[in-house]
Amino acid sequence: MTTALLQTTYFGPIQWYQKLHRYDHCVIEQCDSYQKQTYRNRCVIATANGLQTLTVPVEEGRGKREEVKDVRISDHNQWRRIHWNALQSAYSESPFFEYYADDIHPFFEKEYTFLVDFNEEIRQKICELTDIHPSVTYSSVYSVDGSGMKDFRDVIHAKHPQEDPEFQPRPYWQVFQHRHGFQPNLSILDLLFCMGPESIFYL
């Protein structure tokens, strides 16, 4: 049985969901130290002006080594409204935005306390909408070396991605491709809104 070790993600990149689909089992890390500027609390979408990063604000932890499972979402700056407005602006002209909007919008209305809980509900919904059925568990202790699993915790990284021979981005139609060219490995929402039910064949 093949097992992938992954970080938790906020509407994670296509590469992340590919692992969920292709591996027999996936373990999502929740016992590592929280780090800024990762997919744990951010996603990247394509807009009329180019790429835009949407970041979920989190409360400052009591210590520098706060574990991911203890990270709390902050409610300042009306980030939910900002994120939803950004998605509407970027994808209102995509083929499947209206089809999935009622499934996605509730994540920007309900308040969640912990980031991992928020991300897990998102993961479940995205898996439902893309029709993938992964076997997923969460880590109970931190493993430095991945304990025999295929470790993608630092490979799939927002700022410093590492080489992944298993993931070769293939072009698909994007809303603003005529302006900026094809943008690979964006948030799974880009694939979902642009490709709809065919997203599973890309994964």
Side-chain angles (χ1 to χ4, degrees), residues 6-7 9 13-20 28 123 156:
L6 305 166
Q7 290 181 356
T9 64
I14 295 167
Q15 181 185 17
W16 193 85
Y17 278 91
Q18 183 199 64
K19 306 310 177 190
L20 289 187
I28 297 179
R123 183 198 67 78
I156 305 174

Side-chain angles (χ1 to χ4, degrees), residues 3 43-44 60 77 80 107 114 124 142 153 158 178 186:
T3 302
C43 68
V44 181
E60 293 294 333
N77 291 340
R80 294 180 180 85
F107 291 109
F114 292 100
Q124 291 181 18
Y142 177 71
R153 290 174 296 182
H178 62 290
L186 300 181

Side-chain angles (χ1 to χ4, degrees), residues 10-11 41 43 45-47 52-57 74-91 97 104-105 107-110 118 189 193:
Y10 169 63
F11 289 111
N41 69 321
C43 68
I45 63 173
T47 75
Q52 179 178 354
T53 299
L54 304 178
T55 303
V56 177
S74 173
D75 287 323
H76 75 279
N77 291 340
Q78 297 184 321
W79 67 268
R80 294 180 180 85
R81 179 182 60 81
I82 293 171
H83 285 205
W84 180 245
N85 287 346
L87 291 174
Q88 285 183 304
S89 177
Y91 296 109
F97 179 78
I104 303 300
H105 190 210
F107 291 109
F108 303 98
E109 296 179 312
K110 179 180 176 180
F118 181 44
L189 290 175
F193 291 148

Side-chain angles (χ1 to χ4, degrees), residues 3-61:
T3 302
L5 180 58
L6 305 166
Q7 290 181 356
T8 180
T9 64
Y10 169 63
F11 289 111
I14 295 167
Q15 181 185 17
W16 193 85
Y17 278 91
Q18 183 199 64
K19 306 310 177 190
L20 289 187
H21 183 48
R22 296 190 180 186
Y23 275 75
D24 297 323
H25 182 71
C26 291
V27 176
I28 297 179
E29 181 66 77
Q30 65 172 352
C31 299
D32 55 340
S33 298
Y34 179 76
Q35 299 174 17
K36 297 180 179 180
Q37 298 186 341
T38 68
Y39 288 123
R40 294 178 180 92
N41 69 321
R42 62 175 51 195
C43 68
V44 181
I45 63 173
T47 75
N49 297 319
L51 298 182
Q52 179 178 354
T53 299
L54 304 178
T55 303
V56 177
V58 298
E59 295 181 359
E60 293 294 333

Side-chain angles (χ1 to χ4, degrees), residues 78-135:
Q78 297 184 321
W79 67 268
R80 294 180 180 85
R81 179 182 60 81
I82 293 171
H83 285 205
W84 180 245
N85 287 346
L87 291 174
Q88 285 183 304
S89 177
Y91 296 109
S92 61
E93 300 301 319
S94 66
F96 295 97
F97 179 78
E98 290 188 5
Y99 185 80
Y100 294 115
D102 288 345
D103 292 297
I104 303 300
H105 190 210
F107 291 109
F108 303 98
E109 296 179 312
K110 179 180 176 180
E111 293 186 4
Y112 293 80
T113 300
F114 292 100
L115 181 65
V116 290
D117 295 335
F118 181 44
N119 287 349
E120 173 59 15
E121 289 203 21
I122 288 173
R123 183 198 67 78
Q124 291 181 18
K125 176 56 68 174
I126 293 295
C127 288
E128 173 190 327
L129 298 178
T130 55
D131 197 27
I132 65 175
H133 307 280
S135 169

